[in-house]
Amino acid sequence: MRIVIIGAGAIGAACALELAEAGAEVIVLDRVGVAGETSSRCEGNILVSDKAPGPEALLAIEANRAWRALAERLDADRVAGQPATEFEAKGGIVVAFAGGAEALETFAAAQRGIGITSEVLDAAALRAAEPHLADDIACGVHYPDDAQVQPSLATQAMLARARYLGADYRVTEVIGGIVDGSRVRGVQTTDSRIEADAVVNCAGPWAGEAAALFGAALDIRPRRGTILVTAPMPQRVFHKVYDADYVGAVGSGDASLQTSTVVESTPGGTVLIGSSRERVGFSEAGTLVPLAEIAAKATRLFPFLRDTMLLRTYFGFRPYAPDHVPAIGPDAQIAGLFHAAGHEGAGIGLAPTTAALISHAILGTAAPLDPAPFLPARASLQGVAA
């Protein structure tokens, strides 16, 4: 079976690897390059701590397990041109200032009800885990299963392994869908016509535009996020640490700017500081305000950051679904067209299980969990709203 994948970000690379391992003929197309957009402009989160009970939380739990096995397998037997994933099972700590402790503990208790492991830390345990935190933190909850990869390298690793298994990869832009009646027959690129039995739309924030090339509707929108990177330093942040406001920002549908604090060290000694969310289309203007807000909140959480030099800042666009659940599976109307998009900032973490669901939908392989909640046919994704 010949399958074309549109997009060589983390979701596209994971789908390519899963489908190639299942024996399909895979062609990956991207107009920029591997991890050229969203997947190189994020933090590489593999989180369960930020997921409220519901379908996405169950997807995250399964994906967290899948990433551990996948990273170990990729890193243990690297092929030519395949980088290490830099997988770190560092765990996460979510903190709250005065007034937020009760809500955080209640949220963690609800998560434990669906199998997410967490532990409320007393003051001594919190200080032992993160000695450089601000003194006025009122509460901390430890999530041992939170992890991280270097997102660009992990994406490259997955696609390199897929290519080793026979997948084809081309830098070209898809400019049209080839549809016979209501069935996909392939894609038209700037270079050529490519026939296919199935097409998987992994175009991230551009997934709605990609769907439209086939006459399909998929309401996926860009949501901009900004990140700061410090100069390398001796390690002073030992987990992925973020304030409880981050959970609310992740689940919000508000288009206006929202910022919260996420701080973590990298193997190279830099510290990544996020995060912001705002729906401004694909605008690249006006990033100073979110960066200033992030910096102010981060220095409240970790006071030592006030005297730290910034190395750079960057921003990216994340694929936002209005109901906060990714679209994974067959298109509502066009046979042979499949979607894997709408993960927003969780695409890296959810990639391997998303790929398993796509393989299930196309090839009939075993599904890692119930695919029904993620189907693109749901009403919330079928009419693009303002």
Side-chain angles (χ1 to χ4, degrees):
M1 188 174 192
R2 174 182 267 198
I3 303 170
V4 165
I5 295 174
I6 303 174
I11 298 296
C15 288
L17 177 56
E18 186 81 20
L19 293 168
E21 288 183 329
E25 179 187 354
V26 177
I27 304 172
V28 182
L29 310 175
D30 195 284
R31 64 186 179 188
V32 177
V34 184
E37 294 285 358
T38 302
S39 294
S40 62
R41 304 183 186 192
C42 61
E43 295 173 275
N45 292 335
I46 303 173
L47 302 183
V48 293
S49 55
D50 64 337
K51 305 295 188 296
E56 191 180 26
L58 299 179
L59 186 66
I61 292 169
E62 183 59 38
N64 191 280
R65 288 193 289 261
W67 252 122
R68 292 166 193 276
L70 175 60
E72 181 178 6
R73 181 161 56 90
L74 290 173
D75 291 342
D77 185 23
R78 288 159 60 188
V79 300
Q82 178 182 324
T85 63
E86 294 190 5
F87 178 87
E88 290 185 274
K90 61 171 61 176
I93 294 179
V94 185
V95 299
F97 290 96
E102 183 177 352
L104 175 56
E105 292 182 18
T106 299
F107 182 77
Q111 292 175 305
R112 286 193 291 273
I114 61 167
I116 293 176
T117 302
S118 69
E119 175 193 8
V120 178
L121 303 177
D122 61 24
L126 182 58
R127 182 62 51 190
E130 291 292 343
H132 298 284
L133 271 171
D135 293 333
D136 58 342
I137 299 291
C139 174
V141 178
H142 178 225
Y143 290 84
D145 292 331
D146 278 359
Q148 179 183 350
V149 289
Q150 205 290 342
S152 180
L153 295 181
T155 300
Q156 293 175 51
M158 289 187 287
L159 190 57
R161 182 60 63 90
R163 296 179 72 183
Y164 177 76
L165 296 173
D168 188 9
Y169 163 64
R170 308 176 192 178
V171 178
T172 187
E173 184 172 0
V174 176
I175 58 174
I178 302 171
V179 180
D180 181 7
S182 60
R183 168 163 283 282
V184 162
R185 297 300 181 191
V187 300
Q188 180 67 49
T189 76
T190 51
D191 305 311
S192 63
R193 174 188 174 103
I194 303 174
E195 295 185 354
D197 301 299
V199 173
V200 187
N201 172 15
C202 302
W206 297 272
E209 297 175 18
L213 296 175
F214 298 84
L218 189 72
D219 189 4
I220 301 296
R221 317 172 196 180
R223 205 178 193 191
R224 190 173 71 184
T226 52
I227 295 173
L228 300 89
V229 185
T230 73
M233 68 182 76
Q235 187 172 13
R236 297 188 216 174
V237 182
F238 302 95
H239 301 78
K240 185 182 293 288
V241 181
Y242 63 87
D243 68 56
D245 289 345
Y246 179 79
V247 176
V250 168
S252 171
D254 196 334
S256 61
L257 174 64
Q258 298 171 75
T259 58
S260 54
T261 312
V262 184
V263 182
E264 62 189 308
S265 294
T266 71
T270 59
V271 175
L272 302 182
I273 305 170
S275 68
S276 67
R277 283 172 163 78
E278 56 184 331
R279 294 213 313 273
V280 292
F282 287 104
S283 172
E284 299 184 4
T287 60
L288 183 58
V289 170
L291 289 170
E293 285 192 18
I294 292 168
K297 291 183 176 182
T299 55
R300 184 186 177 195
L301 196 65
F302 284 100
F304 78 85
L305 290 171
R306 295 186 187 121
D307 302 317
T308 299
M309 181 182 294
L310 282 179
L311 188 65
R312 64 189 179 101
T313 65
Y314 60 93
F315 66 88
F317 299 102
R318 290 82 183 263
Y320 166 84
D323 59 3
H324 304 289
V325 177
I328 309 169
D331 184 75
Q333 296 180 326
I334 308 298
L337 177 62
F338 299 81
H339 304 288
H343 302 75
E344 200 182 332
I348 300 292
L350 301 178
T353 306
T354 295
L357 287 174
I358 287 294
S359 180
H360 167 74
I362 299 175
L363 302 178
T365 56
L369 74 168
D370 181 7
F374 310 102
L375 293 178
R378 60 188 191 268
S380 58
L381 298 181
Q382 290 309 299
V384 178

